[in-house]
Amino acid sequence: MHRSTDEPFHGATPAGPRPHPGEHPDAPRATGDIPDPALVDPAVLGALLDRHGWQRRGGAAGRYSRWTPPGPSGGAMSLLVPETAAFPDSEDLIGEALTALARSAAPSARDVLVSLAVPSDEIRWWRDVPESAAGAAGAAGWTEDEHLRSAARQILLAGALAVRAPAGYHGNRHRRKAQAALDGTLVGPAPGGRRLTAFVPVASGRAVAVQLYQALHATREAVDYQRATGGMDAFDTAVAAGVSRELTEAVIALVRGSEGAGIALEWAPAAGTPEGCPARPAPVEFSPGDLPALRRAGARYLQDEPAVPVRITGAVVRMRRSGPRGAGIVRLSVLAGAEVAHVRMELDEEAYRIAGHAHLVGLPIRVEGRLESRGGFRRLSGASQVAPVQVDETERDRLMKSLQENLDFFEEACTGEET
């Protein structure tokens, strides 16, 4: 879903923020592949330049403004950006500005082009860590870089999980759909493992960005309350805002090993400010002193999340029992009824026989029980009402093919632990 910014895209990638901005199908790749100037709003271009540190240095009042890149070498180039698209030469000026951005070596120029090509809310992470001699020379530490990327990935996933359904502990629930919601996320460089920017497309990911804004501020307020009073009540009410064990663990990962860390959100200028959110959200910062409260909150969420009554339909993918008769363990690949990929359950002898027969003829089964939070909602307790489910021929053929591919796993008596 997310991937390193320095690797070519060759197919499947680990879960998390996905392609490098320059490798996204809608992102600019070269001077001949930039956004259409006729479709670029000058006000949006100006807002993005300002956001990414470009300096406005005059221009013709009411007609155009002049912008130079950040840093000591900013005076080496400048962009002329029209105030509106109403002037006859507006499109030409925008085209020249976009070409100059594509040719610029400034990292911020690339970020501006990406935000124009794929209107996105921007989420920034930073970590205050001592700079090594190699870092001062411009080299990025492998460990620090991966640490920041991993923590950012966890925070994004926690936000996407909260969009699916607020919960103190999500475990394995909703994970596939939450990851799918982040498929279009783009990731910028993480120089030295200190700063990282994710571009979350408005079309598919604004709900995640808004949820993260609410959840991160609720987390900050709950930590402040706990540190001031010793009480954990604020973490209970914060669940409705999207706070969860997954989020507290992600913030712990971000802060651990640093002198402090923070997250900032900025809305896509082309899409405007989401309802109920400030135009310029304040950054949320955490320090090592917040870690005890976050750890206590995570443990509390894990302990308090209740089991969920469910009625699951799934294909039997593994069976195990210690002898030719008696109860046994069955593992299902979930098709419907719960937002998890697999569940494991213990069935009595009769239910185990029904599951085995259904598996042999390529039919899924339906079962009722309680999805336990222990183990990440992967275990079904009190399984009952086990029955085969009729499916159409296409689905039956698919299940039979799965049976043939996993024949080694199907056995009524075997040794070793079921996984």
Side-chain angles (χ1 to χ4, degrees), residues 334-351:
V334 177
L335 303 175
E339 285 281 357
V340 295
H342 295 88
V343 294
R344 181 175 179 266
M345 69 194 78
E346 182 175 1
L347 299 180
D348 61 28
E349 182 174 354
E350 177 62 17

Side-chain angles (χ1 to χ4, degrees), residues 168-263:
Y169 175 47
H170 297 279
N172 201 38
R173 295 177 295 170
H174 312 291
R175 200 158 282 261
R176 287 179 293 188
K177 290 185 178 180
Q179 290 171 343
L182 299 173
D183 274 347
T185 301
L186 311 175
V187 181
R194 293 176 165 199
R195 292 184 176 272
L196 178 69
T197 301
F199 300 84
V200 182
V202 171
S204 60
R206 167 144 285 192
V208 175
V210 172
Q211 186 70 77
L212 269 181
Y213 160 74
Q214 297 170 347
L216 288 168
H217 282 271
T219 302
R220 180 67 265 171
E221 292 170 4
V223 169
D224 290 341
Y225 180 83
Q226 194 281 330
R227 295 187 67 176
T229 68
M232 298 294 292
D233 297 350
F235 280 105
D236 297 336
T237 57
V239 170
V243 184
S244 63
R245 174 179 170 85
E246 284 76 9
L247 183 60
T248 57
E249 290 294 302
V251 174
I252 289 170
L254 179 68
V255 175
R256 189 172 51 235
S258 76
E259 297 173 356
I263 308 103

Side-chain angles (χ1 to χ4, degrees), residues 108-173:
S108 58
R110 193 61 164 178
D111 291 344
V112 171
L113 287 175
V114 170
S115 295
L116 288 172
V118 188
S120 305
D121 296 322
E122 297 179 27
I123 304 177
R124 292 185 173 84
W125 293 263
W126 65 89
R127 282 166 43 87
D128 295 329
V129 293
E131 186 171 32
S132 64
W142 177 273
T143 302
E144 291 80 3
D145 184 85
E146 287 301 306
H147 188 133
L148 179 56
R149 290 182 186 280
S150 176
R153 183 181 301 122
Q154 293 177 54
I155 289 173
L156 281 174
L157 182 58
L161 286 167
V163 169
R164 299 301 309 170
Y169 175 47
H170 297 279
N172 201 38
R173 295 177 295 170

Side-chain angles (χ1 to χ4, degrees), residues 336-397:
E339 285 281 357
V340 295
H342 295 88
V343 294
R344 181 175 179 266
M345 69 194 78
E346 182 175 1
L347 299 180
D348 61 28
E349 182 174 354
E350 177 62 17
Y352 190 88
R353 182 186 63 79
I354 294 172
H357 286 173
H359 185 59
L360 286 172
V361 299
L363 291 177
I365 63 171
R366 182 176 293 127
V367 57
E368 297 179 6
R370 295 181 65 80
L371 201 59
E372 296 286 349
S373 61
R374 292 177 301 167
F377 294 94
R378 294 182 176 90
R379 184 188 301 272
L380 195 71
S381 65
S384 64
Q385 306 299 318
V386 177
V389 178
Q390 294 296 327
V391 295
D392 59 38
E393 289 299 321
T394 301
E395 181 65 12
R396 181 169 177 152
D397 289 345

